[in-house]
Amino acid sequence: MIPDESMKQIAAIILENDKGELLLYKRDNKPDIPFPGYWDLIGGHVENGETPEKALIREVKEELDLDIGEFTFFKRYECLEGDAYPNIKYIYSGRINLPIEEITLLEGDIAQYFKREEIPHVKFANILKEIVLEYLSTQPIKI
């Protein structure tokens, strides 16, 4: 299959706090959704007429009830296998410094911060483990 812009598009963000921990959420454990009970990034589908950036802002609001300020484009991935359907993922990075108890998760089971060294052991949805590990390889280790 040749990837094209008519494929489903997804915008997601790697949110990191000042301790270098990443915020992930656990997908609902419902058999009718892809990857139930797996860990995921905040984000979702780009709707018709939306840019990936506008979709990301909307998804962060829908999932965390937060108005995201600054964020940076990391990389575009063509996901032709390993997911529920072929898609293009637009991955961004941003900062979050709220204590976990102050985070309101509106979709999914729970939100949790993970230390860098925990990431290789996390049960991620689809190809996200490779994406997050690639992102971490480009970031300096916080001391």
Side-chain angles (χ1 to χ4, degrees), residues 101-135:
E101 57 274 2
E102 291 181 25
I103 292 175
T104 303
L105 184 67
L106 300 174
E107 294 180 16
D109 249 356
I110 59 169
Q112 182 176 324
Y113 284 109
F114 287 87
K115 293 179 166 75
R116 177 183 287 254
E117 60 269 16
E118 294 174 307
I119 294 299
H121 310 289
V122 172
K123 185 175 145 183
F124 277 97
N126 54 63
I127 66 164
L128 290 178
K129 181 179 286 192
E130 291 81 12
I131 291 172
V132 173
L133 288 173
E134 182 177 353
Y135 168 80

Side-chain angles (χ1 to χ4, degrees), residues 51-116:
T51 63
E53 293 82 9
K54 290 210 184 293
L56 183 69
I57 291 167
R58 176 183 50 74
E59 288 286 346
V60 171
K61 184 68 172 173
E62 287 176 4
E63 293 181 15
L64 296 178
D65 196 26
L66 292 175
D67 295 311
I68 188 156
E70 294 182 26
F71 55 91
T72 304
F73 178 72
F74 173 61
K75 195 168 179 183
R76 177 184 184 271
Y77 292 86
E78 292 173 353
C79 185
L80 303 178
E81 55 187 40
D83 207 337
Y85 44 80
N87 62 76
I88 298 172
K89 295 184 188 317
Y90 296 90
I91 306 296
Y92 298 84
S93 65
R95 310 298 293 170
I96 187 166
N97 280 303
L98 288 173
I100 199 70
E101 57 274 2
E102 291 181 25
I103 292 175
T104 303
L105 184 67
L106 300 174
E107 294 180 16
D109 249 356
I110 59 169
Q112 182 176 324
Y113 284 109
F114 287 87
K115 293 179 166 75
R116 177 183 287 254

Side-chain angles (χ1 to χ4, degrees), residues 7-82:
M7 288 176 25
K8 290 188 186 271
Q9 297 180 44
I10 295 167
I13 189 163
I14 298 169
L15 289 169
E16 188 174 2
N17 66 19
D18 286 344
K19 297 181 205 171
E21 298 169 328
L22 304 184
L23 180 68
L24 305 174
Y25 83 97
K26 194 172 206 180
R27 296 173 62 81
D28 289 314
N29 197 8
K30 297 178 183 172
D32 59 330
I33 67 167
F35 304 99
Y38 284 62
W39 292 93
D40 206 344
L41 298 175
I42 302 298
H45 290 94
V46 177
E47 296 177 355
N48 287 337
E50 274 186 324
T51 63
E53 293 82 9
K54 290 210 184 293
L56 183 69
I57 291 167
R58 176 183 50 74
E59 288 286 346
V60 171
K61 184 68 172 173
E62 287 176 4
E63 293 181 15
L64 296 178
D65 196 26
L66 292 175
D67 295 311
I68 188 156
E70 294 182 26
F71 55 91
T72 304
F73 178 72
F74 173 61
K75 195 168 179 183
R76 177 184 184 271
Y77 292 86
E78 292 173 353
C79 185
L80 303 178
E81 55 187 40

